Amino acid sequence: MKIFISADLEGINGIAAPEDVEEVGAGYQQARIFMTEEVNAVIDGAFAGGATEVVVCDSHNISQNIKMELLDERAQLLRGDTRRNSMVHGLDASFDGLILVGYHAKFGTQHAILDHTFNPTTIRDLSVAGVSVGELGMNALFAAEKGVPLLMATGDQALSAEAKAFDPEVETVIVKYAEGRFCANCLPRTTTQRMLRDTAEKAVRAAKERKPVAVPANPEMKVTFQQVNLADGAMRVPGTKRIDSMTVGIGAENMDALMALRQIVFGAGSDFYNPLF
Ligand SMILES: [Zn+2]
């Protein structure tokens, strides 16, 4: 049984503020260790639950966060960016389940640590087939199209709620509670590592009975940017249409193509970013 783990940083226990997740930040080196510990707990639980192969996709920023010298030796690690499929690169139909570790709520969520949707300075909202999605929803739809169900998601209480709204069957672990956007009430690390291990074991053991959510055919994506000029920039991508002043829409034959298009549309928009206006 093959399990794919996509690991982000904002939803890891002990992470509360931007300084914890930026490479130059005071808390970043410590955050890398916390992230690796949580991924290890999930790997251990996955193998206990029947996994025979685990692939970990380092998925925060430039994807060089996990400390490989501390990573469970049984897992493979996908490290580094410039990938076609971003946070779920390498996930294909051969996998039996997806686990999202250290994820966070979508942009604009109240009582959520470091809420954002891919890029907080440029992206306000993302929707697929008319449903607003965060990183969890986008990546889980990509997996579902390949027949791979979302087994488990971990982060703060807002991320847990977002996961349950996406699919009530998903197992979640709440490792911290948001007191504000940059203030977390963190549970003891040993406690959350035990919860992560036990829940991963349970989720992987039940993987065969899980069905992925339905995925719309020919999905349309709408991107609402933070500035009008960003939407102007995105309109240079062939096939886009203007929905409103800050929203651009584009369709694709499937989620696989849409995932690649998302990065192109975001990038074309970001070219026109202005930090003042
Ligand atoms: Zn991140």
Side-chain angles (χ1 to χ4, degrees):
M1 177 154 50
K2 288 177 71 175
I3 299 299
F4 192 96
I5 298 174
S6 173
D8 203 354
L9 188 53
E10 290 85 351
I12 298 290
N13 192 10
I15 307 310
E19 294 75 21
D20 293 324
V21 298
E22 293 163 347
E23 282 158 78
V24 293
Y28 176 66
Q29 292 305 327
Q30 184 69 71
R32 295 179 66 196
I33 295 171
F34 292 164
M35 180 185 189
T36 309
E37 286 175 348
E38 289 202 6
V39 169
N40 277 344
V42 172
I43 294 169
D44 194 39
F47 278 107
T52 53
E53 194 174 332
V54 174
V55 174
V56 179
C57 184
D58 191 331
S59 295
H60 173 72
N61 196 13
I62 58 169
S63 301
Q64 296 171 8
N65 309 281
I66 288 172
K67 294 183 78 72
M68 194 171 182
E69 69 272 28
L70 302 178
L71 188 69
D72 190 315
E73 285 284 343
R74 292 170 291 179
Q76 292 162 242
L77 175 66
L78 190 89
R79 178 175 157 90
D81 58 5
T82 60
R83 316 164 171 173
R84 175 182 163 89
N85 289 322
S86 183
M87 304 174 82
V88 279
H89 187 82
L91 195 166
D92 60 26
S94 71
F95 285 88
D96 298 285
L98 169 65
I99 298 178
L100 306 177
V101 177
Y103 267 54
H104 51 82
K106 66 181 181 173
F107 184 84
T109 307
Q110 197 178 2
H111 306 304
I113 297 298
L114 297 165
D115 61 286
H116 66 284
T117 301
F118 294 102
N119 187 335
T121 52
T122 57
I123 308 299
R124 179 161 300 188
D125 189 43
L126 176 66
S127 73
V128 175
V131 179
S132 175
V133 291
E135 295 173 24
L136 177 142
M138 188 74 186
N139 293 329
L141 282 174
F142 173 88
E145 182 177 80
K146 298 179 187 306
V148 181
L150 175 60
L151 303 179
M152 171 177 165
T154 83
D156 65 13
Q157 82 282 13
L159 182 278
S160 174
E162 193 171 309
K164 295 284 189 190
F166 178 81
D167 181 351
E169 304 270 298
V170 175
E171 297 281 354
T172 65
V173 176
I174 299 171
V175 298
K176 60 188 173 185
Y177 291 83
E179 299 285 334
R181 197 175 185 210
F182 308 134
C183 177
N185 182 349
C186 301
L187 298 177
R189 268 162 58 231
T190 49
T191 302
T192 51
Q193 283 168 32
R194 191 165 57 243
M195 290 159 61
L196 290 163
R197 189 208 167 280
D198 293 349
T199 306
E201 179 178 355
K202 183 181 169 200
V204 170
R205 206 178 287 289
K208 292 282 180 231
E209 286 93 65
R210 290 287 318 285
K211 294 267 178 293
V213 296
V215 180
N218 304 309
E220 194 199 29
M221 170 177 72
K222 288 186 189 138
V223 181
T224 302
F225 290 94
Q226 301 281 25
Q227 301 168 344
V228 172
N229 40 296
L230 296 173
D232 291 343
M235 287 299 294
R236 295 174 300 162
V237 178
T240 49
K241 63 181 180 196
R242 197 65 165 251
I243 310 290
D244 61 35
S245 63
M246 292 202 288
T247 305
V248 168
I250 191 165
E253 55 184 340
N254 54 30
M255 286 302 302
D256 195 288
L258 205 63
M259 184 67 90
L261 265 179
R262 175 189 69 72
Q263 290 171 281
I264 293 165
V265 170
F266 283 13
S270 296
D271 286 348
F272 284 19
Y273 176 69
N274 185 292
L276 197 57
F277 276 85

